[in-house]
Amino acid sequence: MCRWAAYAGPEIFLEEVVSRPGHSLVAQSLEAAKCPTQTNGDGFGLAWYDARPEPGLYRDIYPAWSDPNLRAICEQVRSGLFLAHVRASTGTATSRNNCHPFAVGHWSFMHNGQVGGFEGFRKQADMLIPDSLYAHRKGATDSEVLFLLALAEGLEEAPVAAMERAVGQLEALSRAHGDGPHMRFSAAYSDGDALYAVRYSSDETAPTLFYRYSETRAGFAVVSEPLEVDESGWREVPAGQAVRFGRDGAVETWAFRPA
């Protein structure tokens, strides 16, 4: 299991979410509080939006707590929409291509969770990716397959419904060829205009997901774990829900029911 954090709102330095808070994402990479895997040291990544439609992307295989370049980037880069992830592998190799976030065009995506028994049906899962997108299959994770399937299912036109269909396809494969838990899914993804977040599980144990609106920043932090242990205002996203966070402060919610 992994940890992630994202932000949507007026521009801030990435460090205000990634490295500076008392329970920042970097701190969670070393000692997570709400995760079965306390240490998340199998790589990290950032995706941020600025002047161009496509996100900037920085990923590496080192533990987030030991990489001075990560801190230096977060201290200097400002963005109004960004995603950050620290990885704890559920079986695939520690490599840059397996580090989140993933990006295709102006879309970015990151995931915490698992598809039960994925290694046993990875070939069948890969075969669901259309030829037009298969060149973007760089790594070996279930997360990357979920992202590419969502793009194939119409992420551009229907960001929540397309993700429902993608999750449903891999959950069905897990039920047919894998093992339980068939799907645990906490994810964030963006087209550069808005931030989407989803919390879902095929059993009663959905990965954690919280968000908080900051009056001082006028923006949303969306996270696996609150960034300060005793800070008020954090709201837990219910299991089976998708949320859209606009950079203008608007929030929309939908039931998330994979088909």
Side-chain angles (χ1 to χ4, degrees):
M1 307 294 276
C2 309
R3 301 284 83 181
W4 59 258
Y7 172 82
E11 287 189 356
I12 63 172
F13 287 106
L14 273 59
E15 69 171 355
E16 295 185 46
V17 170
V18 177
S19 58
R20 200 169 70 184
H23 195 53
S24 69
L25 191 64
V26 171
Q28 292 174 40
S29 72
L30 189 59
E31 190 174 1
K34 298 179 180 293
C35 182
T37 307
Q38 188 179 40
T39 302
N40 297 267
D42 296 324
F44 64 85
L46 301 169
W48 69 93
Y49 293 88
D50 193 3
R52 293 178 174 172
E54 299 81 12
L57 200 62
Y58 175 57
R59 303 182 296 177
D60 218 327
I61 62 173
Y62 303 109
W65 68 79
S66 68
D67 191 302
N69 295 319
L70 174 62
R71 291 184 181 272
I73 288 172
C74 291
E75 289 170 359
Q76 297 296 327
V77 173
R78 293 172 59 93
S79 174
L81 206 163
F82 60 86
L83 288 69
H85 187 278
V86 292
R87 182 171 183 253
S89 173
T90 55
T92 52
T94 300
S95 72
R96 192 173 284 112
N97 284 336
N98 286 338
C99 290
H100 308 218
F102 305 101
V104 175
H106 64 268
W107 283 97
S108 57
F109 171 87
M110 62 185 178
H111 168 228
N112 168 38
Q114 65 189 91
V115 182
F118 179 75
E119 284 303 307
F121 58 86
R122 191 170 78 185
K123 179 180 178 182
Q124 292 98 313
D126 278 8
M127 290 174 67
L128 295 174
I129 303 169
D131 291 348
S132 59
L133 288 169
Y134 198 77
H136 298 287
R137 176 62 163 147
K138 305 293 188 182
T141 65
D142 50 9
S143 304
E144 189 179 45
V145 174
L146 282 164
F147 179 37
L148 295 176
L149 289 182
L151 288 167
E153 289 293 334
L155 196 64
E156 191 72 48
E157 297 77 25
V160 174
M163 192 61 71
E164 284 179 320
R165 291 190 288 269
V167 169
Q169 288 181 67
L170 285 198
E171 184 178 331
L173 275 180
S174 176
R175 291 185 183 278
H177 306 290
D179 49 49
H182 298 294
M183 180 64 67
R184 288 184 177 167
F185 185 78
S186 168
Y189 53 105
S190 180
D191 58 358
D193 292 324
L195 174 67
Y196 296 86
V198 177
R199 185 184 183 202
Y200 170 78
S201 182
S202 59
D203 64 5
E204 69 283 354
T205 310
T208 55
L209 179 57
F210 299 86
Y211 71 92
R212 182 180 184 274
Y213 181 77
S214 169
E215 297 286 350
T216 56
R217 299 188 186 109
F220 290 97
V222 187
V223 300
S224 297
E225 300 187 12
L227 299 176
E228 297 287 356
V229 175
D230 298 321
E231 188 175 41
S232 63
W234 289 99
R235 301 181 62 179
E236 186 171 12
V237 176
Q241 189 171 97
V243 189
R244 179 189 184 274
F245 299 93
R247 296 175 69 169
D248 59 358
V251 179
E252 297 178 78
T253 63
W254 298 265
F256 189 83
R257 300 190 182 97

